Amino acid sequence: MQPTLDQFLTDRLDEITAEVAGEIAERVPAYTHLSAREILALVRDALAAYTGARETGTVLDAFRALGASEARAGHDVRHFESALRTGARVLIRRTAGAAARLYPPTAEYITVMEQAFTAEGRIVQAAVEGHHRAGRRDGTRRLHTLVSEN
């Protein structure tokens, strides 16, 4: 029996995670502070969304939370978004390769790729949205503190 796309990618999760971490370190050296464990969890979530194995709503919430924590830590949104897109390129490449292997270019392959690209866009948007929201809240708190102290 042939594995599902999700099983096929999950079986290679450590290898894919290492590739994502390596690409981010190479392309966005300012963004290498996430631990291997954190990257693994994010890769697992994103792949589950890309393959349709999990509802994207919970995955998007995880990426919004990531964006918010990055904003609170003062990390630049440009580096954050660049790192997300770099990791997404690796995941899209891996998803496409696995889909082509399991489902030679057919309607199923096209459906998988459309789903992966849609998930990638929504994940990056959610993470950047979380970053912006947290940044606005922190800015409002700082402004309130400044005004109330004077």
Side-chain angles (χ1 to χ4, degrees), residues 79-109:
H79 294 150
F80 175 56
E81 185 174 2
S82 184
L84 286 168
R85 292 195 185 280
T86 297
R89 276 194 297 273
V90 171
L91 298 182
I92 292 291
R93 185 171 57 239
R94 288 302 198 111
T95 302
R101 182 174 175 179
L102 296 173
Y103 317 113
T106 61
E108 287 133 344
Y109 176 84

Short mmCIF file of all heavy atoms in Angstrom, two decimals, residues 79-109:
data_model
loop_
_atom_site.label_atom_id
_atom_site.label_comp_id
_atom_site.label_asym_id
_atom_site.label_seq_id
_atom_site.Cartn_x
_atom_site.Cartn_y
_atom_site.Cartn_z
N HIS A 79 12.75 40.46 8.46
CA HIS A 79 13.54 39.23 8.61
C HIS A 79 12.61 38.05 8.89
O HIS A 79 12.82 36.94 8.37
CB HIS A 79 14.55 39.36 9.74
CG HIS A 79 15.60 40.37 9.46
ND1 HIS A 79 16.22 41.09 10.45
CD2 HIS A 79 16.15 40.80 8.30
CE1 HIS A 79 17.09 41.90 9.91
NE2 HIS A 79 17.06 41.75 8.60
N PHE A 80 11.62 38.28 9.71
CA PHE A 80 10.64 37.25 10.06
C PHE A 80 9.92 36.75 8.81
O PHE A 80 9.88 35.55 8.55
CB PHE A 80 9.65 37.85 11.07
CG PHE A 80 8.52 36.94 11.46
CD1 PHE A 80 8.75 35.69 11.98
CD2 PHE A 80 7.21 37.38 11.33
CE1 PHE A 80 7.69 34.86 12.35
CE2 PHE A 80 6.16 36.57 11.70
CZ PHE A 80 6.41 35.31 12.21
N GLU A 81 9.40 37.67 8.01
CA GLU A 81 8.68 37.27 6.80
C GLU A 81 9.62 36.58 5.81
O GLU A 81 9.25 35.58 5.18
CB GLU A 81 8.01 38.47 6.14
CG GLU A 81 7.17 38.08 4.95
CD GLU A 81 6.37 39.23 4.36
OE1 GLU A 81 6.49 40.38 4.84
OE2 GLU A 81 5.63 38.97 3.40
N SER A 82 10.82 37.07 5.68
CA SER A 82 11.79 36.45 4.78
C SER A 82 12.10 35.01 5.21
O SER A 82 12.19 34.10 4.39
CB SER A 82 13.06 37.29 4.72
OG SER A 82 13.96 36.75 3.80
N ALA A 83 12.26 34.82 6.51
CA ALA A 83 12.51 33.47 7.03
C ALA A 83 11.33 32.55 6.77
O ALA A 83 11.50 31.39 6.37
CB ALA A 83 12.82 33.53 8.53
N LEU A 84 10.11 33.06 6.96
CA LEU A 84 8.92 32.27 6.69
C LEU A 84 8.84 31.86 5.23
O LEU A 84 8.57 30.70 4.90
CB LEU A 84 7.65 33.05 7.06
CG LEU A 84 7.36 33.21 8.54
CD1 LEU A 84 6.25 34.24 8.74
CD2 LEU A 84 6.99 31.89 9.17
N ARG A 85 9.09 32.81 4.35
CA ARG A 85 9.02 32.52 2.92
C ARG A 85 10.12 31.56 2.49
O ARG A 85 9.91 30.70 1.63
CB ARG A 85 9.05 33.80 2.11
CG ARG A 85 7.78 34.61 2.31
CD ARG A 85 7.59 35.70 1.29
NE ARG A 85 6.44 36.50 1.59
CZ ARG A 85 5.18 36.16 1.33
NH1 ARG A 85 4.92 35.01 0.76
NH2 ARG A 85 4.18 36.97 1.63
N THR A 86 11.30 31.68 3.09
CA THR A 86 12.40 30.76 2.79
C THR A 86 12.02 29.34 3.20
O THR A 86 12.20 28.39 2.43
CB THR A 86 13.68 31.21 3.51
OG1 THR A 86 14.06 32.49 3.00
CG2 THR A 86 14.82 30.23 3.32
N GLY A 87 11.51 29.19 4.41
CA GLY A 87 11.07 27.88 4.86
C GLY A 87 9.94 27.34 4.00
O GLY A 87 9.91 26.15 3.67
N ALA A 88 9.02 28.21 3.62
CA ALA A 88 7.89 27.79 2.78
C ALA A 88 8.37 27.28 1.43
O ALA A 88 7.82 26.30 0.91
CB ALA A 88 6.92 28.95 2.60
N ARG A 89 9.39 27.90 0.86
CA ARG A 89 9.92 27.43 -0.42
C ARG A 89 10.42 25.99 -0.30
O ARG A 89 10.19 25.17 -1.19
CB ARG A 89 11.03 28.34 -0.92
CG ARG A 89 10.53 29.55 -1.65
CD ARG A 89 11.63 30.26 -2.41
NE ARG A 89 12.67 30.79 -1.53
CZ ARG A 89 12.64 31.97 -0.95
NH1 ARG A 89 11.62 32.76 -1.15
NH2 ARG A 89 13.61 32.36 -0.19
N VAL A 90 11.10 25.70 0.80
CA VAL A 90 11.59 24.32 1.01
C VAL A 90 10.39 23.38 1.11
O VAL A 90 10.38 22.30 0.49
CB VAL A 90 12.46 24.22 2.28
CG1 VAL A 90 12.79 22.77 2.61
CG2 VAL A 90 13.74 25.04 2.12
N LEU A 91 9.39 23.77 1.88
CA LEU A 91 8.24 22.89 2.07
C LEU A 91 7.44 22.70 0.78
O LEU A 91 6.97 21.60 0.51
CB LEU A 91 7.34 23.44 3.18
CG LEU A 91 7.99 23.52 4.56
CD1 LEU A 91 6.99 24.02 5.58
CD2 LEU A 91 8.57 22.19 4.97
N ILE A 92 7.32 23.75 -0.01
CA ILE A 92 6.63 23.64 -1.30
C ILE A 92 7.42 22.70 -2.21
O ILE A 92 6.84 21.82 -2.86
CB ILE A 92 6.46 25.02 -1.96
CG1 ILE A 92 5.48 25.89 -1.17
CG2 ILE A 92 6.02 24.88 -3.42
CD1 ILE A 92 4.04 25.45 -1.21
N ARG A 93 8.73 22.87 -2.24
CA ARG A 93 9.58 22.00 -3.07
C ARG A 93 9.42 20.55 -2.64
O ARG A 93 9.25 19.65 -3.47
CB ARG A 93 11.03 22.48 -2.97
CG ARG A 93 11.99 21.77 -3.87
CD ARG A 93 13.37 22.42 -3.87
NE ARG A 93 13.98 22.51 -2.56
CZ ARG A 93 14.35 23.66 -1.99
NH1 ARG A 93 14.16 24.82 -2.58
NH2 ARG A 93 14.92 23.65 -0.80
N ARG A 94 9.47 20.30 -1.33
CA ARG A 94 9.33 18.93 -0.82
C ARG A 94 7.93 18.38 -1.07
O ARG A 94 7.77 17.21 -1.42
CB ARG A 94 9.64 18.89 0.68
CG ARG A 94 11.10 19.06 1.00
CD ARG A 94 11.92 17.96 0.31
NE ARG A 94 13.22 17.84 0.91
CZ ARG A 94 13.62 16.81 1.63
NH1 ARG A 94 12.84 15.78 1.84
NH2 ARG A 94 14.83 16.80 2.14
N THR A 95 6.91 19.21 -0.87
CA THR A 95 5.53 18.76 -1.11
C THR A 95 5.34 18.44 -2.59
O THR A 95 4.74 17.41 -2.93
CB THR A 95 4.53 19.84 -0.66
OG1 THR A 95 4.74 20.12 0.74
CG2 THR A 95 3.09 19.40 -0.87
N ALA A 96 5.87 19.29 -3.46
CA ALA A 96 5.73 19.06 -4.91
C ALA A 96 6.45 17.76 -5.31
O ALA A 96 5.90 16.96 -6.08
CB ALA A 96 6.31 20.24 -5.69
N GLY A 97 7.66 17.57 -4.80
CA GLY A 97 8.40 16.35 -5.12
C GLY A 97 7.68 15.10 -4.65
O GLY A 97 7.59 14.10 -5.37
N ALA A 98 7.17 15.16 -3.44
CA ALA A 98 6.46 14.00 -2.88
C ALA A 98 5.16 13.75 -3.64
O ALA A 98 4.82 12.60 -3.95
CB ALA A 98 6.17 14.22 -1.40
N ALA A 99 4.43 14.83 -3.96
CA ALA A 99 3.17 14.67 -4.69
C ALA A 99 3.43 14.10 -6.07
O ALA A 99 2.69 13.23 -6.54
CB ALA A 99 2.45 16.01 -4.78
N ALA A 100 4.50 14.55 -6.74
CA ALA A 100 4.83 14.03 -8.07
C ALA A 100 5.18 12.55 -8.00
O ALA A 100 4.85 11.77 -8.89
CB ALA A 100 5.97 14.82 -8.68
N ARG A 101 5.85 12.17 -6.92
CA ARG A 101 6.24 10.76 -6.75
C ARG A 101 5.02 9.88 -6.46
O ARG A 101 4.90 8.78 -6.98
CB ARG A 101 7.25 10.66 -5.62
CG ARG A 101 7.75 9.28 -5.39
CD ARG A 101 8.86 9.29 -4.37
NE ARG A 101 9.25 7.92 -4.10
CZ ARG A 101 10.19 7.60 -3.27
NH1 ARG A 101 10.86 8.54 -2.64
NH2 ARG A 101 10.50 6.35 -3.06
N LEU A 102 4.13 10.39 -5.60
CA LEU A 102 2.96 9.60 -5.21
C LEU A 102 1.81 9.70 -6.20
O LEU A 102 1.05 8.75 -6.38
CB LEU A 102 2.48 10.02 -3.82
CG LEU A 102 3.46 9.77 -2.68
CD1 LEU A 102 2.94 10.39 -1.40
CD2 LEU A 102 3.71 8.28 -2.50
N TYR A 103 1.65 10.87 -6.78
CA TYR A 103 0.53 11.13 -7.70
C TYR A 103 1.11 11.77 -8.96
O TYR A 103 1.14 13.01 -9.04
CB TYR A 103 -0.49 12.09 -7.10
CG TYR A 103 -0.85 11.86 -5.67
CD1 TYR A 103 -0.50 12.78 -4.69
CD2 TYR A 103 -1.55 10.72 -5.28
CE1 TYR A 103 -0.84 12.58 -3.36
CE2 TYR A 103 -1.88 10.52 -3.94
CZ TYR A 103 -1.52 11.46 -3.00
OH TYR A 103 -1.86 11.26 -1.69
N PRO A 104 1.58 11.00 -9.90
CA PRO A 104 2.13 11.62 -11.12
C PRO A 104 1.16 12.68 -11.63
O PRO A 104 -0.05 12.55 -11.45
CB PRO A 104 2.25 10.44 -12.08
CG PRO A 104 2.40 9.25 -11.18
CD PRO A 104 1.55 9.55 -9.98
N PRO A 105 1.72 13.76 -12.19
CA PRO A 105 0.89 14.92 -12.53
C PRO A 105 -0.48 14.58 -13.11
O PRO A 105 -0.62 14.19 -14.26
CB PRO A 105 1.76 15.71 -13.51
CG PRO A 105 3.15 15.40 -13.04
CD PRO A 105 3.09 13.95 -12.60
N THR A 106 -1.43 14.73 -12.24
CA THR A 106 -2.84 14.47 -12.54
C THR A 106 -3.63 15.54 -11.83
O THR A 106 -3.08 16.46 -11.23
CB THR A 106 -3.27 13.10 -11.99
OG1 THR A 106 -3.10 13.14 -10.57
CG2 THR A 106 -2.48 11.96 -12.59
N ALA A 107 -4.91 15.39 -11.84
CA ALA A 107 -5.77 16.33 -11.13
C ALA A 107 -5.45 16.34 -9.64
O ALA A 107 -5.46 17.38 -9.00
CB ALA A 107 -7.24 15.99 -11.35
N GLU A 108 -5.11 15.15 -9.06
CA GLU A 108 -4.78 15.09 -7.64
C GLU A 108 -3.51 15.88 -7.33
O GLU A 108 -3.43 16.59 -6.34
CB GLU A 108 -4.59 13.63 -7.18
CG GLU A 108 -5.88 12.88 -7.08
CD GLU A 108 -5.77 11.50 -7.73
OE1 GLU A 108 -4.81 11.29 -8.49
OE2 GLU A 108 -6.65 10.69 -7.48
N TYR A 109 -2.52 15.75 -8.21
CA TYR A 109 -1.26 16.49 -8.03
C TYR A 109 -1.54 18.00 -8.05
O TYR A 109 -1.06 18.74 -7.19
CB TYR A 109 -0.28 16.11 -9.15
CG TYR A 109 1.01 16.89 -9.10
CD1 TYR A 109 2.05 16.49 -8.28
CD2 TYR A 109 1.19 18.03 -9.87
CE1 TYR A 109 3.23 17.20 -8.23
CE2 TYR A 109 2.37 18.75 -9.82
CZ TYR A 109 3.39 18.33 -9.01
OH TYR A 109 4.56 19.03 -8.95
#
